[in-house]
Amino acid sequence: MRNDVGGCIASADVDCDGFPELLVTGFLTSASPSQGYQLLLNRQGHDFVLAPPWQYTAPFRFTSGTFCDVNNDGAPDIVLAAGEGKHALLLNDGKGWFRLAPTTPFPSPHYVGGVSSRLVCADLDADGWNDLVELSNPPSSVGESYLSYWHNEGNGVFKDFSSSHLPQIPRDAQKLFVADLNHDGWPDIVAAAIGCDGQYEPIEQQVFLNQGDGVFVEDDTLSPRETGCSELTPFDANNDGKVDLVRITPFDATGSTVLINTSP
C-alpha cells in the first residue's frame, strides 16, 4: 500500500465480533484503484483482508472518511468525503454489510472548492446523536483550511451549523481531533498544522472550546505555536483521566514537548 497525497485510517468493529476493522481513504492500491476507499476486515486478530466490493463503487477517490453511527442503531456506518459536496454514507446492517444511503443526508458544502482532509464523528451537544466535523483544505498549497460542523438532527440527516456554532478565522491545518481539553465533560475541537511550513514560520494549532451546548469559541490561550516542523497528538501522559498533548518537532533540538493538562 502506498500513500498517494495523504490519507486517513479509522477503526471500528463493524460486525460485532470483538475485533476492529480498518477504513482506509485517500490511498491508491493496485487492487482497487477506482474504489475510492477500502474496508479491511479483521480476521479475529490474525490478519486483515480486503472486504468484497459492494454495489456502490465510488466515481472518484475519497480523501477522508470515518466510522460513525449516524442513525443510532448501534452499528458503525461509514461516512466518506472528497470535498466540493462529494460525500457518501454507507449504512451498516448490523452484521458488517453496507448499502448506500438512498438519499444524501449531508448539507451543501460551506467551503466551496475545498478538499476534505479529515472527518471526525462525535456527539458535540450531548443530544445522543453523533455529529460530524470536517476539515477542508484548498486544492493547492495556497489558502487556508476551514472547519465544517454538521449537526445530526436526530434522524441521521445533518444540518450545517458551521457559521452559528463554530465561528472561526480560517488558518492552515491538516489534522483534526475532538477531545475534552478543559475537563468539563464536553468535547472540544482542535485543528492543527502538521509537517513543515517551508519557511519555518510559526505553525499554529486552533483550539475551540465547547461552551456546554455544542457552541464553540476559539481559545487563543490554549493554542500552542511552534516554529518549523510539528505534529500534535492527544494522549493521557500521566494517567489522570485528562487529555494531554504531545508536540513532536523532529528537526528541533528538543525533539518533542509534552503539554500537561492542568485543568481542574
Side-chain angles (χ1 to χ4, degrees):
M1 182 181 296
R2 68 184 180 88
N3 187 340
D4 187 82
V5 192
C8 299
I9 298 177
S11 65
D13 182 8
V14 303
D15 51 6
C16 300
D17 65 351
F19 294 90
E21 276 68 47
L22 296 175
L23 174 68
V24 181
T25 53
F27 291 87
L28 295 180
T29 70
S30 58
S32 57
S34 63
Q35 186 70 14
Y37 63 95
Q38 289 183 336
L39 177 63
L40 302 177
L41 301 178
N42 191 332
R43 298 202 298 187
Q44 297 188 348
H46 298 293
D47 58 6
F48 290 86
V49 295
L50 185 64
W54 303 299
Q55 294 180 349
Y56 176 67
T57 299
F60 40 78
R61 180 170 62 92
F62 289 105
T63 53
S64 69
T66 190
F67 291 108
C68 189
D69 181 9
V70 304
N71 52 7
N72 250 3
D73 63 355
D77 308 302
I78 295 177
V79 180
L80 301 167
E84 297 184 332
K86 299 175 182 178
H87 302 94
L89 172 62
L90 303 179
L91 295 173
N92 191 339
D93 67 354
K95 300 178 181 179
W97 289 91
F98 295 84
R99 62 179 176 85
L100 181 66
T103 58
T104 301
F106 306 113
S108 300
H110 188 91
Y111 180 40
V112 180
V115 177
S116 179
S117 58
R118 291 293 185 272
L119 274 173
V120 173
C121 170
D123 183 3
L124 298 177
D125 57 352
D127 64 351
W129 292 83
N130 284 322
D131 309 301
L132 289 165
V133 182
E134 181 185 43
L135 173 63
S136 299
N137 293 103
S140 65
S141 58
V142 179
E144 289 83 20
S145 56
Y146 188 85
L147 292 173
S148 297
Y149 173 11
W150 299 341
H151 180 261
N152 194 327
E153 294 293 278
N155 53 3
V157 176
F158 295 84
K159 184 178 180 180
D160 191 353
F161 274 22
S162 305
S163 297
S164 59
H165 288 59
L166 189 57
Q168 62 196 274
I169 299 175
R171 300 177 186 173
D172 180 36
Q174 297 84 33
K175 186 168 184 175
L176 173 69
F177 61 85
V178 171
D180 181 8
L181 294 180
N182 54 358
H183 205 56
D184 63 352
W186 292 88
D188 307 304
I189 298 173
V190 178
I194 61 176
C196 297
D197 63 2
Q199 297 181 355
Y200 292 91
E201 297 177 352
I203 297 176
E204 296 179 313
Q205 285 82 34
Q206 289 177 281
V207 176
F208 299 90
L209 294 181
N210 195 327
Q211 301 303 290
D213 52 4
V215 176
F216 294 84
V217 174
E218 185 171 1
D219 191 322
D220 291 333
T221 64
L222 297 177
S223 301
R225 295 167 63 88
E226 183 60 62
T227 300
C229 303
S230 183
E231 163 77 29
L232 195 70
T233 299
F235 77 127
D236 186 358
N238 50 5
N239 203 26
D240 63 354
K242 302 176 184 179
V243 178
D244 308 304
L245 300 174
V246 58
R247 185 175 59 204
I248 303 171
T249 312
F251 301 115
D252 186 83
T254 59
S256 61
T257 303
V258 175
L259 306 174
I260 298 296
N261 193 332
T262 58
S263 62

